[in-house]
Amino acid sequence: EAIFFPVQALDTVSPPSAEQEQCVGERVKLKLLLDFTDAPGDIADPWYCGHFDRTYADITRGCQGLLAHLGF
């Protein structure tokens, strides 16, 4: 039986909506994208930090970690 870890949000500032919460079953564990890296936390928001390169690096690291977690 497969277990899925959907990425619900990129940061903790944007919590899931009530509608999104209803779609999540009890067996599903929600994670942030950077939870799949060695430095969990929020994705740098370029709107506030002004560093698009940092945001790109965060997303890239998160995607690489997620793919590794999935066995790719």
Side-chain angles (χ1 to χ4, degrees), residues 23-37:
C23 295
V24 178
E26 291 179 14
R27 297 180 349 188
V28 177
K29 183 176 181 181
L30 300 178
K31 290 186 172 254
L32 295 173
L33 186 60
L34 290 182
D35 287 346
F36 296 100
T37 70

Side-chain angles (χ1 to χ4, degrees), residues 12-69:
T12 54
V13 177
S14 307
S17 67
E19 182 178 282
Q20 289 170 321
E21 290 283 349
Q22 289 178 334
C23 295
V24 178
E26 291 179 14
R27 297 180 349 188
V28 177
K29 183 176 181 181
L30 300 178
K31 290 186 172 254
L32 295 173
L33 186 60
L34 290 182
D35 287 346
F36 296 100
T37 70
D38 58 353
D42 292 349
I43 299 286
D45 187 337
W47 179 263
Y48 296 103
C49 73
H51 299 285
F52 287 87
D53 55 335
R54 183 173 161 208
T55 302
Y56 181 83
D58 283 352
I59 292 171
T60 299
R61 281 187 310 108
C63 289
Q64 289 170 340
L66 176 59
L67 288 172
H69 177 78

